Amino acid sequence: MSFHRYRPRLPGGELAPMPWPVSLYRVLNHVAWPLEAQSGRWTVFLDKLMIFLGFLVFCEHNEVDFHYLIANRQDMDNLLTGMPTYLILVEMQIRCFQLAWHKDRFRALLQRFYAEIYVSEEMEPHLFASIQRQMLATRVNSTVYLLALFNFFLVPVTNVIYHRREMLYKQVYPFDNTQLHFFIPLLVLNFWVGFIITSMLFGELNVMGELMMHLNARYVQLGQDLRRSAHMLLKKRSSLNVAIAYRLVLTHILRRNAALRDFGQRVEKEFTLRIFVMFAFSAGLLCALFFKAFTNPWGNVAYIVWFLAKFMELLALGMLGSILLKTTDELGMMYYTADWEQVIHQSDNVGENVKLMKLVTLAIQLNSRPFFITGLNYFRVSLTAVLKIIQGAFSYFTFLNSMR
């Protein structure tokens, strides 16, 4: 099946370079990653069958995780031990299978991204280097998430050492799951769920980051091109056609701007629900993770690493959202500083000067509102929203700690 999974290509037909977290996401997560557009009927059928079976596995894990919480509802320490895995399971079941339902739309978005938006290193080395610096936090976060998964995967090792038969996560089954013919298949399913959840966590963050930062680079490029065009026209010292030429340049810039905003709206449509779900679960998840890490740090190393990963994930996404918001917010000011008044001063064509001023006014009006990604229009993805979530999480922690 991995050979039939979609592989992005550049406009020239060559394979597009993908950062290692996205490549790993493509390899590990057959539920979320789309197939090639020309995949055969049997391949599509098999993919849908695997998604359906995966959904059943998630439902089974959901039940036994929740059964653990019910069985330990009188013991707050044990309850909070199983709470993080249950919360992330429910969150990922919603996010992952919502994406699975819209795989074709996601593939179309990636195709448009690599065809129109992607900034290549060969064409724009400085912008590309800037994008890599901006994406560094998401790369580090991917490594930390893999370390968190590795901590859970140490459970089979301790099982062998201490002659136990424990699952990777806190679960209570309605039958004796320690019997070998039950234990081995269930442990394999634990591993599979771990891979799907972890790859979804760091994979989607990196995909969103790539889309947002390359879009941000195109907006930066837009401003540079407008200022460069004005300077070149003014250097020619032509008083007759300078306003006409500048109006044509400005019209082209506005069309590019409209195309970028349309792509941004496609990104918003694709991710808005999943971002809302992510942020909705984040406060409770951070609270439970920090509580376990705070109360028994040496006995909960996996929860400490997981807390750091979640904390970094939110900060990285908020930072990227704030960068895009700031760039598009400054775009409205770009037209004020684009030397259009110098063009009018140099031009002798009164009629064209009037048309140019009307076009500049329209451009300013169209860019008066910055572009930003939201979670179902309830909040903007920015550092401000992330800090509010973190503040709420620590408020919950203070309450739980006082009860303890």
Side-chain angles (χ1 to χ4, degrees):
M1 288 292 292
S2 61
F3 296 105
H4 297 283
R5 291 178 197 169
Y6 170 65
R7 184 68 167 85
R9 294 182 179 274
L10 297 176
E14 61 273 22
L15 292 175
M18 294 193 300
W20 69 264
V22 179
S23 297
L24 202 57
Y25 178 40
R26 173 182 175 270
V27 171
L28 294 178
N29 202 319
H30 70 88
V31 174
W33 195 263
L35 297 174
E36 291 283 2
Q38 65 272 19
S39 297
R41 292 175 59 186
W42 282 108
T43 302
V44 174
F45 171 77
L46 184 58
D47 182 62
K48 290 182 178 180
L49 178 63
M50 295 297 291
I51 291 172
F52 176 71
L53 294 176
F55 184 78
L56 293 181
V57 172
F58 265 79
C59 289
E60 176 265 330
H61 274 63
N62 203 321
E63 195 279 332
V64 294
D65 280 30
F66 187 69
H67 198 177
Y68 175 87
L69 299 182
I70 295 298
N72 292 275
R73 61 186 180 277
Q74 302 297 331
D75 187 337
M76 188 172 73
D77 189 62
N78 284 337
L79 178 70
L80 290 174
T81 300
M83 185 63 72
T85 51
Y86 177 71
L87 289 176
I88 200 66
L89 180 71
V90 176
E91 177 191 337
M92 287 298 107
Q93 187 166 6
I94 297 172
R95 288 173 56 188
C96 195
F97 289 96
Q98 190 271 343
L99 175 54
W101 188 260
H102 296 287
K103 271 187 175 186
D104 292 343
R105 187 179 71 184
F106 180 49
R107 184 185 60 237
L109 178 65
L110 292 177
Q111 288 173 335
R112 182 176 176 184
F113 167 69
Y114 282 102
E116 301 176 8
I117 307 297
Y118 180 76
V119 177
S120 66
E121 186 176 10
E122 292 76 16
M123 298 296 292
E124 295 286 348
H126 295 294
L127 276 178
F128 185 84
S130 175
I131 292 170
Q132 299 312 303
R133 288 193 297 271
Q134 291 164 341
M135 292 296 294
L136 182 60
T138 65
R139 310 286 191 257
V140 175
N141 175 253
S142 303
T143 304
V144 179
Y145 262 125
L146 289 173
L147 287 174
L149 181 64
F150 175 75
N151 277 281
F152 281 97
F153 284 2
L154 289 176
V155 173
V157 178
T158 60
N159 283 346
V160 173
I161 294 174
Y162 298 108
H163 305 287
R164 298 186 303 218
R165 290 185 181 178
E166 292 184 355
M167 308 306 293
L168 299 185
Y169 321 114
K170 298 300 180 182
Q171 299 173 329
V172 172
Y173 288 82
F175 52 86
D176 184 10
N177 63 296
T178 60
Q179 296 182 35
L180 199 60
H181 59 281
F182 288 134
F183 179 73
I184 297 298
L186 291 174
L187 192 64
V188 170
L189 292 180
N190 273 189
F191 275 96
W192 179 81
V193 169
F195 279 122
I196 293 295
I197 287 178
T198 307
S199 62
M200 184 73 185
L201 284 167
F202 69 73
E204 184 157 71
L205 173 67
N206 278 271
V207 170
M208 282 193 290
E210 289 288 321
L211 297 177
M212 291 164 65
M213 288 305 95
H214 282 266
L215 177 62
N216 180 77
R218 289 300 183 185
Y219 274 119
V220 171
Q221 197 178 49
L222 201 67
Q224 293 173 348
D225 290 349
L226 181 60
R227 287 186 289 270
R228 191 182 299 117
S229 299
H231 292 157
M232 291 177 62
L233 289 172
L234 290 171
K235 283 182 180 179
K236 292 181 179 179
R237 301 293 181 182
S238 172
S239 60
L240 183 62
N241 297 321
V242 63
I244 299 175
Y246 190 80
R247 184 165 60 84
L248 293 175
V249 168
L250 186 56
T251 301
H252 180 63
I253 291 290
L254 286 175
R255 287 173 178 168
R256 287 169 57 190
N257 191 4
L260 292 179
R261 186 167 286 268
D262 180 68
F263 177 79
Q265 290 170 348
R266 289 282 300 276
V267 174
E268 160 86 4
K269 181 180 179 181
E270 177 62 43
F271 292 101
T272 184
L273 174 61
R274 299 198 291 278
I275 289 173
F276 177 82
V277 173
M278 176 201 298
F279 277 48
F281 280 84
S282 291
L285 186 57
L286 282 175
C287 172
L289 289 170
F290 189 69
F291 184 87
K292 294 302 298 180
F294 179 81
T295 53
N296 184 14
W298 295 112
N300 293 297
V301 176
Y303 289 97
I304 294 175
V305 179
W306 189 359
F307 172 81
L308 291 174
K310 187 64 183 178
F311 191 80
M312 291 175 61
E313 177 192 9
L314 291 173
L315 286 179
L317 184 58
M319 179 192 70
L320 297 179
S322 293
I323 290 173
L324 181 59
L325 176 62
K326 182 175 181 292
T327 300
T328 54
D329 189 34
E330 292 173 349
L331 201 61
M333 295 298 297
M334 175 185 73
Y335 296 101
Y336 288 100
T337 59
D339 294 331
W340 58 268
E341 71 281 1
Q342 296 297 326
V343 172
I344 291 176
H345 178 72
Q346 186 171 314
S347 172
D348 294 334
N349 192 327
V350 178
E352 285 298 328
N353 289 350
V354 173
K355 292 179 181 179
L356 177 58
M357 291 181 67
K358 289 181 178 179
L359 188 61
V360 170
T361 302
L362 177 63
I364 293 172
Q365 291 174 346
L366 291 175
N367 291 276
S368 60
R369 185 172 180 265
F371 175 77
F372 42 81
I373 305 295
T374 71
L376 292 180
N377 292 320
Y378 279 95
F379 53 81
R380 301 176 181 180
V381 176
S382 65
L383 281 174
T384 303
V386 169
L387 292 176
K388 288 180 179 179
I389 289 174
I390 295 173
Q391 184 180 15
F394 281 98
S395 297
Y396 299 154
F397 163 76
T398 304
F399 172 72
L400 286 176
N401 198 41
S402 64
M403 288 180 61
R404 175 173 174 270

